[in-house]
Amino acid sequence: EPEVTQTPSHQVTQMGQEVILRCVPISNHLYFYWYRQILGQKVEFLVSFYNNEISEKSEIFDDQFSVERPDGSNFTLKIRSTKLEDSAMYFCATGLAGSLEQYFGPGTRLTVT
Amino acid sequence: AQSVTQPDIHITVSEGASLELRCNYSYGATPYLFWYVQSPGQGLQLLLKYFSGDTLVQGIKGFEAEFKRSQSSFNLRKPSVHWSDAAEYFCAVVASGSYIPTFGRGTSLIVHP
């Protein structure tokens, strides 16, 4: 069964450094999402992406964050200058056009020290 | 404001016992309702969903959930829990006209042999 994959599974970085989290969507999915879950808290929506542009973003998704599909397959989340409070599990999700169902990857645990 | 509440942070049951995980939501109209499960090291997997129609929905792995409009609830049930059901369970709600889910905090299910 096709699945969403994410790399790396765990990333440790120092405050102020840039990180790129990668996601490989299911091949025929057209909608892409990033979520985060701070330890012990809810899963929160960050951004949705369709047709090579952001379709919706939350207030969490500020200028420090960006997303792109650099090669038509990978879907990346970049944090330009990480802060301690960016430490969280980041989930990628993808979905078909017209469907409310989203398929989640296993997540990347980001630890900012 | 829209919200999803999972009042139980942890639930412990014995293997073979029945299970009910609670989910309440606060929305102006009937939203779309989902339950996801997250096993350790895995992404969120969709267990079941309710969009309309029969208020008792069947999902994968023997789970079911019942939508009760009068109580704004969508509780997840399983008649006989297996040790492999130990995981984190998330209720999620998508408001009508949206496609972005709002997640509950999650309930951690512990299964004793």
Side-chain angles (χ1 to χ4, degrees):
Chain A
E1 183 177 333
E3 58 184 21
V4 177
T5 59
Q6 290 185 242
T7 55
S9 56
H10 190 191
Q11 171 116 31
V12 181
T13 189
Q14 289 188 327
M15 196 167 48
Q17 295 297 304
E18 174 184 285
V19 294
I20 298 176
L21 310 183
R22 291 181 169 80
C23 169
V24 178
I26 296 173
S27 62
N28 59 337
H29 287 191
L30 299 177
Y31 287 82
F32 313 111
Y33 311 84
W34 283 102
Y35 297 82
R36 80 172 185 190
Q37 184 183 28
I38 295 172
L39 187 64
Q41 298 186 24
K42 298 183 179 185
V43 175
E44 302 171 290
F45 168 73
L46 291 178
V47 65
S48 61
F49 190 85
Y50 170 71
N51 201 25
N52 285 319
E53 61 183 26
I54 291 173
S55 45
E56 191 167 342
K57 61 182 181 179
S58 71
E59 62 274 12
I60 303 168
F61 194 86
D62 61 22
D63 291 344
Q64 290 298 311
F65 292 89
S66 63
V67 289
E68 64 174 353
R69 289 198 79 196
D71 55 11
S73 58
N74 289 287
F75 177 52
T76 63
L77 174 69
K78 181 192 291 186
I79 309 175
R80 290 190 182 82
S81 178
T82 51
K83 303 186 283 288
L84 293 175
E85 54 265 38
D86 293 327
S87 295
M89 182 74 89
Y90 288 81
F91 293 105
C92 172
T94 72
L96 290 163
S99 173
L100 289 173
E101 293 188 37
Q102 297 182 20
Y103 295 77
F104 285 78
T108 292
R109 180 167 296 284
L110 177 64
T111 302
V112 183
T113 61
Chain B
Q2 301 168 339
S3 67
V4 181
T5 301
Q6 293 181 247
D8 304 304
I9 297 175
H10 302 283
I11 291 272
T12 301
V13 298
S14 297
E15 191 169 15
S18 64
L19 171 70
E20 181 169 34
L21 302 183
R22 296 182 289 166
C23 174
N24 294 92
Y25 63 88
S26 173
Y27 279 82
T30 300
Y32 305 111
L33 301 161
F34 302 80
W35 274 100
Y36 286 88
V37 60
Q38 184 185 23
S39 299
Q42 304 294 315
L44 279 70
Q45 181 183 22
L46 181 65
L47 280 176
L48 46 76
K49 61 186 183 288
Y50 173 78
F51 290 171
S52 65
D54 192 347
T55 57
L56 182 64
V57 293
Q58 303 296 320
I60 62 171
K61 305 185 181 193
F63 285 92
E64 67 178 26
E66 185 172 13
F67 168 59
K68 293 186 177 180
R69 186 190 308 274
S70 61
Q71 298 177 18
S72 297
S73 69
F74 188 56
N75 293 348
L76 181 71
R77 301 194 295 246
K78 186 170 185 178
S80 178
V81 169
H82 188 263
W83 65 267
S84 60
D85 293 324
E88 190 86 13
Y89 290 81
F90 294 93
C91 180
V93 171
V94 176
S96 179
S98 175
Y99 56 93
I100 303 300
T102 297
F103 286 87
R105 185 180 292 271
T107 298
S108 177
L109 175 64
I110 300 163
V111 181
H112 281 166

